[in-house]
Amino acid sequence: QKEVEQNSGPLSVPEGAIASLNCTYSDRGSQSFFWYRQYSGKSPELIMFIYSNGDKEDGRFTAQLNKASQYVSLLIRDSQPSDSATYLCAGLGGSNYKLTFGKGTLLTVNP
Amino acid sequence: NAGVTQTPKFRILKIGQSMTLQCAQDMNHNYMYWYRQDPGMGLKLIYYSVGAGITDKGEVPNGYNVSRSTTEDFPLRLELAAPSQTSVYFCASRTSGAPYEQYFGPGTRLTVT
């Protein structure tokens, strides 16, 4: 069964620190990966996607992909209390039909 | 541009009742999805559709049915509601090609008692 696993939380960091969220996947056919942020009681919101090995930066967010190690990560620099949410990692299967989601990591940024 | 919309936002059903959760998108996306999310758990795919008239089962289809008669609408039908169907239901949509970005609706919180 194709799985996406995220590092167990919850994760707590002080304001201004770097938060590191990690994810591994089992489907070697997966080519595209997505990070969603979900505030409590709200729907998931897409914040980053990455297709190629290496880093992709967008503001305070950096996504990293290592296909050889089947590893995806999200770094949040200068973490803010407003970043406190559950972060979901998802991989798009080789058929490109559907995403497989991890269970999420709860991040708390303490002022 | 409303994106993905869902109705109702909240609903309480009695055991054995039926209902339809509505989902619509105005982005001309071919692919649409229904997920459920239980507390502390990830998203479980119920059904998906790759275009009008084409639907397929996801991980947890039992107790649900779908139809896709138009590109815009993808309703989810619950027949004979059971307490195990108490959950938050999310509809999502995306384009069929790259960049494969998938967008979610606001969700429907359903309680079956």
Side-chain angles (χ1 to χ4, degrees):
Chain A
Q1 182 166 342
K2 298 166 185 174
E3 293 183 341
V4 172
E5 296 196 7
Q6 297 187 236
N7 53 326
S8 59
L11 177 65
S12 181
V13 301
E15 184 174 355
I18 296 175
S20 177
L21 302 156
N22 304 313
C23 173
T24 58
Y25 61 95
S26 63
D27 181 10
R28 284 199 170 273
S30 294
Q31 297 294 317
S32 308
F33 298 89
F34 303 81
W35 283 99
Y36 286 83
R37 177 176 62 200
Q38 186 175 25
Y39 292 115
S40 181
K42 301 295 187 183
S43 60
E45 172 194 9
L46 180 64
I47 54 173
M48 289 283 290
F49 60 88
I50 185 166
Y51 303 148
S52 304
N53 273 330
D55 296 358
K56 179 182 178 184
E57 188 173 316
D58 184 1
R60 295 185 297 111
F61 299 95
T62 299
Q64 299 174 315
L65 174 59
N66 183 324
K67 292 186 180 180
S69 301
Q70 295 178 248
Y71 176 88
V72 190
S73 67
L74 179 70
L75 300 177
I76 307 175
R77 290 182 301 282
D78 189 24
S79 295
Q80 301 297 308
S82 59
D83 294 326
S84 298
T86 295
Y87 288 80
L88 301 168
C89 172
L92 185 62
S95 65
N96 289 338
Y97 285 159
K98 45 190 176 175
L99 291 174
T100 299
F101 283 87
K103 291 185 177 178
T105 300
L106 176 62
L107 171 67
T108 300
V109 180
N110 301 302
Chain B
N1 190 335
V4 181
T5 58
Q6 292 183 239
T7 56
K9 286 186 169 51
F10 304 94
R11 183 73 186 266
I12 298 174
L13 279 183
K14 294 191 185 305
I15 294 171
Q17 287 185 321
S18 299
M19 76 164 294
T20 298
L21 280 65
Q22 302 291 344
C23 174
Q25 52 89 13
D26 62 0
M27 297 175 282
N28 201 32
H29 286 169
N30 286 326
Y31 286 33
M32 295 187 74
Y33 304 85
W34 274 106
Y35 296 89
R36 61 176 286 172
Q37 187 176 42
D38 300 320
M41 301 297 288
L43 291 157
K44 300 289 188 186
L45 182 64
I46 305 171
Y47 271 96
Y48 68 101
S49 169
V50 300
I54 307 170
T55 63
D56 205 352
K57 295 177 181 179
E59 302 169 74
V60 290
N62 291 343
Y64 307 95
N65 273 303
V66 293
S67 59
R68 182 101 181 267
S69 56
T70 67
T71 298
E72 293 77 21
D73 301 297
F74 190 38
L76 178 71
R77 178 82 177 162
L78 277 72
E79 305 282 2
L80 298 175
S84 61
Q85 293 177 305
T86 294
S87 190
V88 180
Y89 292 84
F90 292 107
C91 180
S93 74
R94 69 164 174 92
T95 58
S96 53
Y100 307 115
E101 294 172 64
Q102 183 169 305
Y103 297 98
F104 284 81
T108 294
R109 188 175 296 274
L110 176 68
T111 302
V112 182
T113 62

